[in-house]
Amino acid sequence: MRLIRERGYRAGEKLPNEYELSAQLGVSRNTVREALRALASRNILYIRQGAGTFISEKKGVADDPLGFSLMEDRQKLAEDLLQIRYIVEPQIAALAAQNATPEDIAILGDLCDEVEALIHKRQDFTQKDVDFHTQLAACSKNMVMSNLIPVICEGITVFAAMVVEQEFDQTVKSHREIFESVRDGRAADAQQAMLFHLLYNRNRFIEGKDL
């Protein structure tokens, strides 16, 4: 871990092989091998057989850090996750408008276009929706916000599974307003657009419960 931090390895970069790490760290290859496996289990590294060991894109964040997969009441989980998203995501959008680089904005714009393309075909856009919100958090340049992404992603996927049908037209409008506000550096507008997006989803969720 110290070596990874000190050398500034980034996601996707390859580490030296076991022999080189053994020499650099002054330990046996077996010790290196066990350390690599332990870090892979923590989503810090990933090992590709025949290719080597790489820094994980997951940045050490567990796939289900808060144990959502074990919660039986999916409807209550969806509602509670929406509440957390109200608290976090509008501020993420505001920070994104303040801090996003041109490269960040270009990626966000491409994802916005991809969501819209799926919507126009009336196809499932859940994964691209997740990718859009993930990139928005990356645009914030706040390391802690980025590590909250599993909570946001789970909120999107659980919500999508609970509603009767996906909302197409309003999603296009909301995502486009969020993106344009971030692109133009309008933090307050980005915050309000995200809040409206989440409140609209909450109303749909409540209406679905009443059916």
Side-chain angles (χ1 to χ4, degrees), residues 16-208:
N17 62 36
E18 289 181 6
Y19 179 81
E20 293 169 321
L21 286 172
S22 175
Q24 291 174 23
L25 298 172
V27 297
S28 71
R29 289 183 65 183
N30 282 339
T31 298
V32 168
R33 190 174 298 118
E34 289 304 312
L36 294 177
R37 288 174 180 167
L39 293 179
S41 72
R42 293 168 55 190
N43 284 339
I44 295 168
L45 304 175
Y46 69 94
I47 300 169
R48 285 167 48 193
Q49 295 300 323
T53 303
F54 301 82
I55 305 297
S56 174
E57 300 279 352
K58 297 179 179 179
K59 302 178 182 179
V61 179
D63 293 328
D64 184 18
L66 301 181
F68 293 141
S69 60
L70 297 177
M71 296 181 182
E72 294 182 10
D73 190 340
R74 307 306 287 177
Q75 187 162 301
K76 180 68 163 61
L77 175 61
E79 192 168 356
D80 288 355
L81 282 169
L82 268 174
Q83 290 179 352
I84 296 300
R85 291 180 66 195
Y86 300 151
I87 298 168
V88 173
E89 283 201 87
Q91 188 59 38
I92 285 178
L95 288 172
Q98 293 169 349
N99 299 325
T101 66
E103 293 77 12
D104 293 329
I105 292 169
I107 295 170
L108 189 67
D110 288 343
L111 288 167
C112 190
D113 291 341
E114 290 174 29
V115 170
E116 289 183 8
L118 290 171
I119 285 175
H120 291 323
K121 297 174 184 176
R122 291 302 191 256
Q123 295 179 356
D124 181 24
F125 59 88
T126 302
Q127 184 55 54
K128 285 299 176 184
D129 194 6
V130 167
D131 293 343
F132 178 85
H133 287 263
T134 299
Q135 176 60 16
L136 195 64
C139 289
S140 76
K141 300 305 181 187
N142 183 300
M143 292 186 295
V144 177
M145 289 291 193
S146 293
N147 282 358
L148 290 174
I149 282 301
V151 176
I152 295 169
C153 294
E154 186 68 12
I156 294 169
T157 53
V158 170
F159 177 81
M162 294 298 300
V163 295
V164 177
E165 61 182 20
Q166 289 186 306
E167 169 56 48
F168 294 109
D169 296 337
Q170 188 59 47
T171 299
V172 169
K173 185 174 184 293
S174 294
H175 277 206
R176 184 57 60 180
E177 287 178 353
I178 292 165
F179 165 67
E180 290 178 353
S181 297
V182 170
R183 181 196 63 196
D184 299 340
R186 294 182 281 112
D189 289 343
Q191 186 175 29
Q192 288 299 313
M194 178 60 77
L195 183 59
F196 178 84
H197 179 48
L198 295 173
L199 289 172
Y200 183 86
N201 284 340
R202 177 180 180 273
N203 290 338
R204 289 182 58 229
F205 179 78
I206 292 172
E207 288 169 3

